[in-house]
PDB file of all heavy atoms in Angstrom:
ATOM      1  N   SER A 234       7.623  31.987 -11.747  1.00  0.00           N
ATOM      2  CA  SER A 234       6.984  33.226 -11.294  1.00  0.00           C
ATOM      3  C   SER A 234       6.806  33.247  -9.786  1.00  0.00           C
ATOM      4  O   SER A 234       7.047  34.273  -9.129  1.00  0.00           O
ATOM      5  CB  SER A 234       5.630  33.385 -11.996  1.00  0.00           C
ATOM      6  OG  SER A 234       5.796  33.564 -13.387  1.00  0.00           O
ATOM      7  N   ILE A 235       6.393  32.120  -9.200  1.00  0.00           N
ATOM      8  CA  ILE A 235       6.211  32.075  -7.742  1.00  0.00           C
ATOM      9  C   ILE A 235       7.530  32.319  -7.023  1.00  0.00           C
ATOM     10  O   ILE A 235       7.602  33.078  -6.044  1.00  0.00           O
ATOM     11  CB  ILE A 235       5.587  30.727  -7.327  1.00  0.00           C
ATOM     12  CG1 ILE A 235       4.114  30.682  -7.756  1.00  0.00           C
ATOM     13  CG2 ILE A 235       5.705  30.515  -5.819  1.00  0.00           C
ATOM     14  CD1 ILE A 235       3.426  29.370  -7.467  1.00  0.00           C
ATOM     15  N   HIS A 236       8.598  31.700  -7.505  1.00  0.00           N
ATOM     16  CA  HIS A 236       9.900  31.892  -6.868  1.00  0.00           C
ATOM     17  C   HIS A 236      10.416  33.318  -7.036  1.00  0.00           C
ATOM     18  O   HIS A 236      11.135  33.836  -6.178  1.00  0.00           O
ATOM     19  CB  HIS A 236      10.906  30.893  -7.437  1.00  0.00           C
ATOM     20  CG  HIS A 236      10.592  29.474  -7.082  1.00  0.00           C
ATOM     21  ND1 HIS A 236      10.881  28.399  -7.897  1.00  0.00           N
ATOM     22  CD2 HIS A 236       9.973  28.940  -5.992  1.00  0.00           C
ATOM     23  CE1 HIS A 236      10.463  27.282  -7.331  1.00  0.00           C
ATOM     24  NE2 HIS A 236       9.916  27.594  -6.173  1.00  0.00           N
ATOM     25  N   ALA A 237      10.018  33.966  -8.141  1.00  0.00           N
ATOM     26  CA  ALA A 237      10.432  35.353  -8.377  1.00  0.00           C
ATOM     27  C   ALA A 237       9.555  36.348  -7.623  1.00  0.00           C
ATOM     28  O   ALA A 237       9.926  37.516  -7.459  1.00  0.00           O
ATOM     29  CB  ALA A 237      10.403  35.664  -9.870  1.00  0.00           C
ATOM     30  N   GLY A 238       8.386  35.891  -7.182  1.00  0.00           N
ATOM     31  CA  GLY A 238       7.462  36.781  -6.486  1.00  0.00           C
ATOM     32  C   GLY A 238       6.664  37.678  -7.411  1.00  0.00           C
ATOM     33  O   GLY A 238       5.972  38.586  -6.960  1.00  0.00           O
ATOM     34  N   ARG A 239       6.705  37.418  -8.693  1.00  0.00           N
ATOM     35  CA  ARG A 239       5.959  38.183  -9.690  1.00  0.00           C
ATOM     36  C   ARG A 239       5.868  37.347 -10.967  1.00  0.00           C
ATOM     37  O   ARG A 239       6.615  36.382 -11.148  1.00  0.00           O
ATOM     38  CB  ARG A 239       6.654  39.515 -10.004  1.00  0.00           C
ATOM     39  CG  ARG A 239       8.084  39.353 -10.485  1.00  0.00           C
ATOM     40  CD  ARG A 239       8.771  40.685 -10.702  1.00  0.00           C
ATOM     41  NE  ARG A 239      10.187  40.516 -11.019  1.00  0.00           N
ATOM     42  CZ  ARG A 239      10.666  40.188 -12.223  1.00  0.00           C
ATOM     43  NH1 ARG A 239       9.824  40.026 -13.234  1.00  0.00           N
ATOM     44  NH2 ARG A 239      11.961  40.038 -12.418  1.00  0.00           N
ATOM     45  N   ILE A 240       4.947  37.712 -11.842  1.00  0.00           N
ATOM     46  CA  ILE A 240       4.809  36.980 -13.101  1.00  0.00           C
ATOM     47  C   ILE A 240       6.058  37.198 -13.942  1.00  0.00           C
ATOM     48  O   ILE A 240       6.399  38.328 -14.306  1.00  0.00           O
ATOM     49  CB  ILE A 240       3.556  37.425 -13.866  1.00  0.00           C
ATOM     50  CG1 ILE A 240       2.303  37.033 -13.065  1.00  0.00           C
ATOM     51  CG2 ILE A 240       3.522  36.806 -15.264  1.00  0.00           C
ATOM     52  CD1 ILE A 240       1.005  37.505 -13.670  1.00  0.00           C
ATOM     53  N   SER A 241       6.765  36.111 -14.225  1.00  0.00           N
ATOM     54  CA  SER A 241       8.036  36.167 -14.944  1.00  0.00           C
ATOM     55  C   SER A 241       7.994  35.194 -16.120  1.00  0.00           C
ATOM     56  O   SER A 241       8.127  33.980 -15.931  1.00  0.00           O
ATOM     57  CB  SER A 241       9.200  35.796 -14.018  1.00  0.00           C
ATOM     58  OG  SER A 241       9.253  36.666 -12.903  1.00  0.00           O
ATOM     59  N   PRO A 242       7.775  35.694 -17.334  1.00  0.00           N
ATOM     60  CA  PRO A 242       7.673  34.809 -18.506  1.00  0.00           C
ATOM     61  C   PRO A 242       8.959  34.020 -18.728  1.00  0.00           C
ATOM     62  O   PRO A 242      10.057  34.455 -18.376  1.00  0.00           O
ATOM     63  CB  PRO A 242       7.422  35.787 -19.662  1.00  0.00           C
ATOM     64  CG  PRO A 242       6.848  37.004 -19.020  1.00  0.00           C
ATOM     65  CD  PRO A 242       7.537  37.107 -17.682  1.00  0.00           C
ATOM     66  N   ILE A 243       8.789  32.835 -19.311  1.00  0.00           N
ATOM     67  CA  ILE A 243       9.919  31.999 -19.673  1.00  0.00           C
ATOM     68  C   ILE A 243       9.917  31.771 -21.182  1.00  0.00           C
ATOM     69  O   ILE A 243       8.917  32.010 -21.860  1.00  0.00           O
ATOM     70  CB  ILE A 243       9.865  30.627 -18.965  1.00  0.00           C
ATOM     71  CG1 ILE A 243       8.609  29.852 -19.401  1.00  0.00           C
ATOM     72  CG2 ILE A 243       9.922  30.790 -17.460  1.00  0.00           C
ATOM     73  CD1 ILE A 243       8.599  28.398 -18.993  1.00  0.00           C
ATOM     74  N   GLU A 244      11.036  31.307 -21.686  1.00  0.00           N
ATOM     75  CA  GLU A 244      11.088  30.874 -23.081  1.00  0.00           C
ATOM     76  C   GLU A 244      10.607  29.424 -23.128  1.00  0.00           C
ATOM     77  O   GLU A 244      11.182  28.544 -22.506  1.00  0.00           O
ATOM     78  CB  GLU A 244      12.512  30.959 -23.623  1.00  0.00           C
ATOM     79  CG  GLU A 244      12.631  30.540 -25.073  1.00  0.00           C
ATOM     80  CD  GLU A 244      14.056  30.629 -25.590  1.00  0.00           C
ATOM     81  OE1 GLU A 244      14.895  31.250 -24.899  1.00  0.00           O
ATOM     82  OE2 GLU A 244      14.326  30.079 -26.677  1.00  0.00           O
ATOM     83  N   ARG A 245       9.534  29.200 -23.866  1.00  0.00           N
ATOM     84  CA  ARG A 245       8.952  27.866 -23.921  1.00  0.00           C
ATOM     85  C   ARG A 245       9.853  26.914 -24.692  1.00  0.00           C
ATOM     86  O   ARG A 245      10.356  27.240 -25.765  1.00  0.00           O
ATOM     87  CB  ARG A 245       7.579  27.915 -24.580  1.00  0.00           C
ATOM     88  CG  ARG A 245       6.545  28.589 -23.727  1.00  0.00           C
ATOM     89  CD  ARG A 245       5.285  28.862 -24.476  1.00  0.00           C
ATOM     90  NE  ARG A 245       4.698  27.646 -25.034  1.00  0.00           N
ATOM     91  CZ  ARG A 245       3.432  27.561 -25.423  1.00  0.00           C
ATOM     92  NH1 ARG A 245       2.644  28.604 -25.294  1.00  0.00           N
ATOM     93  NH2 ARG A 245       2.958  26.459 -25.925  1.00  0.00           N
ATOM     94  N   ARG A 246      10.041  25.736 -24.107  1.00  0.00           N
ATOM     95  CA  ARG A 246      10.788  24.674 -24.771  1.00  0.00           C
ATOM     96  C   ARG A 246       9.914  23.427 -24.841  1.00  0.00           C
ATOM     97  O   ARG A 246       8.891  23.343 -24.179  1.00  0.00           O
ATOM     98  CB  ARG A 246      12.088  24.379 -24.004  1.00  0.00           C
ATOM     99  CG  ARG A 246      13.087  25.529 -24.031  1.00  0.00           C
ATOM    100  CD  ARG A 246      14.282  25.218 -23.132  1.00  0.00           C
ATOM    101  NE  ARG A 246      13.925  25.313 -21.723  1.00  0.00           N
ATOM    102  CZ  ARG A 246      14.591  24.721 -20.747  1.00  0.00           C
ATOM    103  NH1 ARG A 246      15.638  23.946 -21.024  1.00  0.00           N
ATOM    104  NH2 ARG A 246      14.222  24.871 -19.486  1.00  0.00           N
ATOM    105  N   TYR A 247      10.339  22.475 -25.624  1.00  0.00           N
ATOM    106  CA  TYR A 247       9.537  21.269 -25.816  1.00  0.00           C
ATOM    107  C   TYR A 247       9.404  20.485 -24.519  1.00  0.00           C
ATOM    108  O   TYR A 247      10.341  20.373 -23.730  1.00  0.00           O
ATOM    109  CB  TYR A 247      10.180  20.367 -26.879  1.00  0.00           C
ATOM    110  CG  TYR A 247       9.508  19.015 -26.984  1.00  0.00           C
ATOM    111  CD1 TYR A 247       8.311  18.877 -27.685  1.00  0.00           C
ATOM    112  CD2 TYR A 247      10.037  17.897 -26.340  1.00  0.00           C
ATOM    113  CE1 TYR A 247       7.673  17.644 -27.760  1.00  0.00           C
ATOM    114  CE2 TYR A 247       9.400  16.660 -26.411  1.00  0.00           C
ATOM    115  CZ  TYR A 247       8.222  16.539 -27.121  1.00  0.00           C
ATOM    116  OH  TYR A 247       7.589  15.328 -27.191  1.00  0.00           O
ATOM    117  N   SER A 248       8.232  19.915 -24.308  1.00  0.00           N
ATOM    118  CA  SER A 248       8.025  18.914 -23.265  1.00  0.00           C
ATOM    119  C   SER A 248       7.079  17.863 -23.813  1.00  0.00           C
ATOM    120  O   SER A 248       6.159  18.172 -24.592  1.00  0.00           O
ATOM    121  CB  SER A 248       7.432  19.523 -21.996  1.00  0.00           C
ATOM    122  OG  SER A 248       7.061  18.493 -21.088  1.00  0.00           O
ATOM    123  N   ILE A 249       7.286  16.641 -23.392  1.00  0.00           N
ATOM    124  CA  ILE A 249       6.378  15.570 -23.782  1.00  0.00           C
ATOM    125  C   ILE A 249       4.982  15.814 -23.213  1.00  0.00           C
ATOM    126  O   ILE A 249       3.990  15.333 -23.765  1.00  0.00           O
ATOM    127  CB  ILE A 249       6.943  14.212 -23.323  1.00  0.00           C
ATOM    128  CG1 ILE A 249       6.258  13.061 -24.059  1.00  0.00           C
ATOM    129  CG2 ILE A 249       6.829  14.049 -21.809  1.00  0.00           C
ATOM    130  CD1 ILE A 249       6.935  11.725 -23.852  1.00  0.00           C
ATOM    131  N   ALA A 250       4.908  16.602 -22.149  1.00  0.00           N
ATOM    132  CA  ALA A 250       3.620  16.953 -21.527  1.00  0.00           C
ATOM    133  C   ALA A 250       3.081  18.217 -22.186  1.00  0.00           C
ATOM    134  O   ALA A 250       3.046  19.292 -21.583  1.00  0.00           O
ATOM    135  CB  ALA A 250       3.794  17.141 -20.028  1.00  0.00           C
ATOM    136  N   ASP A 251       2.655  18.082 -23.442  1.00  0.00           N
ATOM    137  CA  ASP A 251       2.274  19.261 -24.232  1.00  0.00           C
ATOM    138  C   ASP A 251       1.057  19.976 -23.671  1.00  0.00           C
ATOM    139  O   ASP A 251       0.866  21.170 -23.899  1.00  0.00           O
ATOM    140  CB  ASP A 251       2.020  18.864 -25.685  1.00  0.00           C
ATOM    141  CG  ASP A 251       0.869  17.872 -25.841  1.00  0.00           C
ATOM    142  OD1 ASP A 251       0.663  17.047 -24.932  1.00  0.00           O
ATOM    143  OD2 ASP A 251       0.183  17.922 -26.871  1.00  0.00           O
ATOM    144  N   GLY A 252       0.216  19.276 -22.912  1.00  0.00           N
ATOM    145  CA  GLY A 252      -0.955  19.914 -22.331  1.00  0.00           C
ATOM    146  C   GLY A 252      -0.634  20.876 -21.200  1.00  0.00           C
ATOM    147  O   GLY A 252      -1.513  21.591 -20.721  1.00  0.00           O
ATOM    148  N   LEU A 253       0.626  20.900 -20.761  1.00  0.00           N
ATOM    149  CA  LEU A 253       1.035  21.798 -19.672  1.00  0.00           C
ATOM    150  C   LEU A 253       1.871  22.955 -20.190  1.00  0.00           C
ATOM    151  O   LEU A 253       2.602  23.583 -19.430  1.00  0.00           O
ATOM    152  CB  LEU A 253       1.809  21.010 -18.606  1.00  0.00           C
ATOM    153  CG  LEU A 253       1.079  19.809 -18.009  1.00  0.00           C
ATOM    154  CD1 LEU A 253       1.956  19.118 -16.963  1.00  0.00           C
ATOM    155  CD2 LEU A 253      -0.250  20.226 -17.390  1.00  0.00           C
ATOM    156  N   ALA A 254       1.764  23.231 -21.484  1.00  0.00           N
ATOM    157  CA  ALA A 254       2.577  24.283 -22.088  1.00  0.00           C
ATOM    158  C   ALA A 254       2.134  25.664 -21.622  1.00  0.00           C
ATOM    159  O   ALA A 254       0.955  25.915 -21.389  1.00  0.00           O
ATOM    160  CB  ALA A 254       2.486  24.203 -23.615  1.00  0.00           C
ATOM    161  N   GLY A 255       3.089  26.557 -21.496  1.00  0.00           N
ATOM    162  CA  GLY A 255       2.793  27.938 -21.144  1.00  0.00           C
ATOM    163  C   GLY A 255       4.064  28.742 -21.005  1.00  0.00           C
ATOM    164  O   GLY A 255       5.097  28.198 -20.614  1.00  0.00           O
TER     165      GLY A 255
END
Side-chain angles (χ1 to χ4, degrees):
S234 295
I235 288 177
H236 293 148
R239 57 184 174 80
I240 294 176
S241 301
I243 62 168
E244 181 180 347
R245 290 169 58 161
R246 294 174 287 158
Y247 172 79
S248 171
I249 197 169
D251 62 328
L253 304 180

